[in-house]
Amino acid sequence: MRRTTTPTARRLAAAAVALGSFLALAGPTAPAGAAPADPVKTVFIGDSYTANYGITPVNNQDNERGWCFQAAQNYPAVATKRLADKGITVDVQADVSCGGALVEHFWKEQELFGGLGRVPAQQDALKEDTRLVVGGMGGNTLGFTSVIKQCSAKLRGNEGALLPGSPVDPESPAAACRTFFESEDGKAWLDYSLERVGGDLEEMLLRMSYHSPDAERVLVGYPRLVPQDTTKCSTAAPGQTELPFADIPQDALPVLDQVQKRLNDVMKKAAADEGADFVDLYDRTGTNTACDGANRGIGGLLENSQLEIGQPLPWYGHPNEKGRDLQATYVAGKVEEVLNR
């Protein structure tokens, strides 16, 4: 399918996908213009990295959506304030980001943490008059928590009991995870999972155009977790006793980084192929990884987050407040660019 650019062309393409047919369409590029003076009707979608799991207080504590662990001050909320400071008013129609969401939960109902409720498909929040859709998903469809559990004996046990997912192959020891992902079944699983992510993201982006034909779509990638210099990961962060990546073998850290880099590339390609914009957080957060000590923007796997359910919940590699602010900065910058072109 050739790249579609106009809302009408994107909507027709989405309809064609929904009908199971193939349609090649192209249209002229929309003319450049100033950012709209009227409020921009916006929907935020996404998984725990958009919801900013680990940061409190949490929205919707009086209903089942509370189990999405969506922070009241997640990056959509912070980015909205930063845009307002620049004279760009974002009218948030909904923020349906939810921890644990797969890409398919954009069009399918999602069962919440621990089976404690269900939430509607995220696409239900989109309206005919929505002008901007922002957020990111893909890591759960890939099965990144399964990758982590494949490499960590601790997270296969009680310390990872609240982390969804199982190791890819529990018969293969955690210490051998680098070899596992670089050969035979592990490599095949990873290749297939990434292919699935790409296909699901393309469908999600097409569905956005079908439901909100005039909306700009901004797909947000994931911040970098593992630094280029992995020796930094052999030191605990200030005030911590656990290493940033717990007991994951040192030689497996480049593998984790490569998995994340490949996911980032898949997301970038899906956005480009479907005429959407992409926020490349991976390339911009290399000095704020989980192993960057006081400058870390990512909470360590077993570092206590701000959440508690009887006991503190670990960050499990999610952005802390510094990381949240970095997400907000780059997302606000991209939205401003999109609305001003």
Side-chain angles (χ1 to χ4, degrees):
M1 182 180 292
R2 300 204 302 271
R3 175 175 171 174
T4 58
T5 54
T6 67
T8 300
R10 293 201 304 264
R11 187 168 195 176
L12 288 172
V17 169
L19 292 171
S21 61
F22 182 88
L23 184 61
L25 293 164
T29 303
D38 295 332
V40 182
K41 295 183 182 297
T42 301
V43 172
F44 291 102
I45 59 96
D47 59 20
S48 58
Y49 277 73
T50 306
N52 281 122
Y53 161 90
I55 295 175
T56 57
V58 171
N59 284 327
N60 305 302
Q61 294 187 48
D62 59 346
N63 61 66
E64 59 189 10
R65 276 197 177 273
W67 296 109
C68 286
F69 297 112
Q70 184 191 97
Q73 291 300 311
N74 61 355
Y75 82 69
V78 177
T80 295
K81 292 176 182 176
R82 293 188 179 182
L83 287 163
D85 290 341
K86 296 185 177 184
I88 300 173
T89 303
V90 172
D91 178 6
V92 180
Q93 294 177 304
D95 180 348
V96 290
S97 58
C98 189
L102 306 173
V103 179
E104 67 179 27
H105 290 134
F106 184 75
W107 62 87
K108 292 182 180 180
E109 187 180 61
Q110 178 186 349
E111 183 174 341
L112 296 173
F113 170 83
L116 295 172
R118 306 180 77 87
V119 292
Q122 295 192 19
Q123 69 180 15
D124 292 359
L126 274 64
K127 308 300 179 187
E128 184 80 15
D129 63 350
T130 300
R131 293 295 179 267
L132 181 66
V133 185
V134 183
M137 289 191 276
N140 293 319
T141 298
L142 167 66
F144 197 75
T145 58
S146 293
V147 174
I148 291 174
K149 285 189 174 182
Q150 187 64 37
C151 296
S152 170
K154 283 188 175 182
L155 289 175
R156 293 188 190 192
N158 290 335
E159 291 184 83
L162 296 175
L163 185 65
S166 303
V168 180
D169 180 4
E171 299 303 316
S172 179
C177 74
R178 175 172 184 166
T179 302
F180 176 79
F181 284 116
E182 290 181 342
S183 61
E184 298 181 354
D185 290 348
K187 182 178 183 300
W189 176 88
L190 186 57
D191 291 345
Y192 170 79
S193 298
L194 287 163
E195 183 178 353
R196 179 187 174 191
V197 171
D200 282 3
L201 285 173
E202 289 181 7
E203 178 166 354
M204 181 183 78
L205 291 165
L206 283 168
R207 284 173 174 269
M208 287 179 186
S209 291
Y210 179 76
H211 289 282
S212 301
D214 296 322
E216 299 285 356
R217 299 158 300 160
V218 178
L219 182 63
V220 181
Y222 293 92
R224 189 168 183 173
L225 305 183
V226 181
Q228 183 174 1
D229 178 8
T230 59
T231 62
K232 294 195 293 185
C233 301
S234 61
T235 302
Q240 300 299 311
T241 56
E242 289 277 0
L243 296 180
F245 288 98
D247 62 332
I248 292 179
Q250 182 76 22
D251 72 345
L253 294 178
V255 175
L256 293 186
D257 186 53
Q258 184 60 25
V259 170
Q260 192 186 13
K261 178 64 167 62
R262 290 180 67 187
L263 173 60
N264 188 70
D265 290 345
V266 166
M267 297 179 75
K268 186 185 301 185
K269 183 179 185 300
D273 287 350
E274 299 305 327
D277 288 276
F278 182 65
V279 180
D280 194 337
L281 292 175
Y282 177 90
D283 280 350
R284 295 173 171 176
T285 52
T287 59
N288 301 102
T289 69
C291 303
D292 281 298
N295 291 320
R296 67 193 183 283
I298 302 295
L301 289 182
L302 296 179
E303 177 183 351
N304 287 342
S305 73
Q306 298 172 10
L307 287 169
E308 290 190 17
I309 302 180
Q311 62 183 39
L313 301 185
W315 283 107
Y316 289 136
H318 284 78
N320 55 25
E321 287 176 316
K322 181 187 288 289
R324 183 270 321 271
D325 289 347
L326 288 169
Q327 291 174 293
T329 294
Y330 293 120
V331 169
K334 176 60 71 174
V335 168
E336 183 179 12
E337 173 191 325
V338 166
L339 296 179
N340 275 300
R341 69 185 176 206

